[in-house]
Amino acid sequence: MRTLSDLTLDNATVALRCDFNVPLDSQGVITDDLRIRAALPTIEYLLSRSAKVVILAHLGRPKGQVVDALSLAPVAERLAELLGRPVNFVVSRDAAEVSQRVAETPTNSVTLLENVRFDPRETSKDPSERETLAREWAQWAEFFVSDGFGVVHRAQASVTEIAELVPSAAGLLVQSESDVFAAILTDPARPLTVILGGSKVGDKLGVIESLLPRVDNLLIGGGMAYTFLLAQGKEVGQSLQQPDFVEDVRSFMAEAIELGVRLLLPVDFVVAESFDANAKTQIVSADSIPADWMGLDIGPLTREEYAGVIAGSATVVWNGPMGVFEMEPFAGGTLAIAHAMAESSAYTVIGGGDSAAAVRVLDVDETKFDHISTGGGASLEFLEGKSLPGLAVLKGQ
Ligand code: ADP
Ligand code: MG
């Protein structure tokens, strides 16, 4: 993969793709600026080369239209605070006007263009449409630096097409995220434990398939656990379940036995009468989920067992919360895993958007983890062993 040292950046005008897709509250205030902070090293590196830094980024899913609530204006403000210098925010999306504005800005400066997804060509399925947008940026960009790890699994104008029009390289964030996940796939310190939770088994089947031959322990929790229970012929009551995937799950369980992988399922659950923070709850064993109740968290015995496995591991990768952590009565399992990881001496990686959010919401010390990924989808696809289009374009000379 080409890196920053492959480009002669001094005084150059650089188009920099960042992932500034941060969560906003109902007043439009940024509630978590992890992704903006993660972009600072590359921006500062480019400034140290006296580059003219022009950032391309998106926020949310405006679907090719101008949506005022998804303006990057609050991001420009936060970025300026974090950098301690002004950020020139360009609202206009008229190609000639943008070129003019970029031409006028001095070197050693930072400019942010408005949400690239306000333009339907950014995410168009038609590569030639994406290319016409990328050509507008290529009019002023001498180089392209790709540093939005959260979007490298997408073929989009500001990720892939622009990289083919001007000399390009990975930024420091994309480089370090790629290095972390590549090392997990190829040369992890063992035992390697992967913890999978969250709500979508379907999305994570590919990850299980790719990781099974590589891991020592696979711990299952969250909403995906119940489909595994179904595959064992157990009753799961009203819990989240995806019967379509029972066959796949059954074959994974058989494969784990063949490979000698420890695939652990929860032995107990916190079940509730309804999907509600104030619902009546009880703790039950995995064999006795009542028909009218739903599992919303892993139980205390499971937490203890999983924490023990984490303590005995050398590498731990976690994707997906263990329960509905957004509601306090069902946050205990997720919190227990986060604490066990924080306290372990293993190399610890958090790979999911919601898992990373849980750590911050539940006030676990982030500095106790070795790597918190900024890209949930991208890190999953990386672990699936897929070729990511935004990385593939940075390969070669
Ligand atoms: P990540 O973003 O970390 O990959 P997912 O997006 O797959 O994770 O899933 C996160 C969601 O899973 C959370 O909103 C959480 O509330 C939900 N979840 C976890 N456990 C359960 C459960 N038992 N039932 C329903 N939803 C669950
Ligand atoms: Mg998620």
Side-chain angles (χ1 to χ4, degrees):
M1 192 158 71
R2 292 186 301 272
T3 60
L4 291 175
S5 57
D6 294 316
L7 304 181
T8 311
L9 296 161
D10 304 85
N11 301 304
T13 303
V14 178
L16 170 65
R17 181 56 156 106
C18 291
D19 177 6
F20 287 158
N21 191 24
V22 290
L24 303 173
D25 68 14
S26 53
Q27 319 304 325
V29 177
I30 298 168
T31 53
D32 180 4
D33 62 6
L34 170 80
R35 287 176 158 169
I36 306 177
R37 286 183 283 126
L40 298 178
T42 297
I43 298 172
E44 268 153 5
Y45 175 92
L46 294 172
L47 291 172
S48 77
R49 310 301 294 268
S50 294
K52 195 187 280 195
V53 184
V54 182
I55 302 174
L56 305 171
H58 78 280
L59 183 61
R61 296 170 184 265
K63 307 216 166 116
Q65 292 182 334
V66 177
V67 176
D68 290 338
L70 296 176
S71 168
L72 282 169
V75 170
E77 215 171 285
R78 179 66 62 90
L79 179 61
E81 273 165 36
L82 291 168
L83 283 170
R85 60 155 75 217
V87 168
N88 179 24
F89 183 54
V90 177
V91 178
S92 170
R93 292 178 303 110
D94 175 75
E97 200 176 330
V98 173
S99 290
Q100 177 69 28
R101 289 286 299 273
V102 171
E104 285 164 10
T105 42
T107 56
N108 192 20
S109 67
V110 180
T111 297
L112 174 63
L113 304 190
E114 182 57 289
N115 196 337
V116 290
R117 289 195 188 168
F118 284 179
D119 191 312
R121 292 173 295 173
E122 166 68 3
T123 57
S124 169
K125 293 275 170 271
D126 178 352
S128 66
E129 281 188 13
R130 299 198 299 262
E131 194 186 318
T132 62
L133 177 58
R135 284 201 182 282
E136 293 181 3
W137 300 319
Q139 282 173 15
W140 46 261
E142 292 168 87
F143 295 102
F144 172 65
V145 173
S146 176
D147 213 28
F149 183 70
V151 287
V152 292
H153 59 314
R154 305 282 187 211
Q156 295 177 344
S158 67
V159 182
T160 43
E161 274 68 25
I162 183 156
E164 296 186 302
L165 292 174
V166 294
S168 58
L172 300 171
L173 177 65
V174 160
Q175 200 187 332
S176 74
E177 293 253 27
S178 306
D179 287 349
V180 165
F181 291 104
I184 289 165
L185 284 181
T186 57
D187 189 22
R190 290 190 182 275
L192 166 62
T193 296
V194 173
I195 308 160
L196 288 180
S199 48
K200 297 154 286 181
V201 198
D203 285 7
K204 296 183 187 179
L205 284 179
V207 187
I208 301 177
E209 187 167 15
S210 148
L211 287 179
L212 258 186
R214 307 172 199 267
V215 301
D216 300 293
N217 307 298
L218 182 58
L219 313 184
I220 303 290
M224 65 164 25
Y226 307 96
T227 303
F228 281 80
L229 262 56
L230 279 186
Q232 292 181 314
K234 291 186 174 150
E235 291 296 334
V236 300
Q238 306 303 307
S239 312
L240 194 72
Q241 49 197 285
Q242 292 177 290
D244 291 356
F245 297 120
V246 164
E247 272 317 309
D248 296 283
V249 163
R250 204 171 275 145
S251 72
F252 290 146
M253 297 199 297
E255 193 187 342
I257 294 171
E258 246 166 66
L259 293 166
V261 170
R262 255 171 101 194
L263 191 162
L264 297 186
L265 303 178
V267 293
D268 60 351
F269 294 97
V270 179
V271 296
E273 269 189 322
S274 60
F275 193 83
D276 182 349
N278 300 313
K280 210 194 260 179
T281 66
Q282 58 173 317
I283 292 159
V284 298
S285 85
D287 295 312
S288 47
I289 298 178
D292 294 340
W293 294 56
M294 59 178 74
L296 295 181
D297 198 7
I298 57 172
L301 292 175
T302 308
R303 295 173 200 176
E304 206 177 305
E305 183 179 24
Y306 286 10
V309 175
I310 291 167
S313 302
T315 306
V316 182
V317 182
W318 176 31
N319 179 294
M322 295 291 102
V324 184
F325 72 94
E326 297 92 336
M327 300 183 205
E328 204 270 332
F330 316 113
T334 300
L335 194 59
I337 295 300
H339 278 148
M341 284 179 72
E343 282 155 22
S344 92
S345 54
Y347 181 74
T348 49
V349 177
I350 302 182
D354 288 289
S355 330
V359 163
R360 286 187 293 278
V361 171
L362 301 174
D363 252 336
V364 183
D365 184 356
E366 284 179 76
T367 64
K368 295 271 172 68
F369 297 86
D370 291 288
H371 185 80
I372 301 184
S373 180
T374 57
S379 65
L380 277 178
E381 290 200 17
F382 204 115
L383 291 175
E384 274 179 65
K386 285 189 181 163
S387 165
L388 310 189
L391 298 181
V393 286
L394 306 175
K395 302 245 157 74
Q397 12 64 45

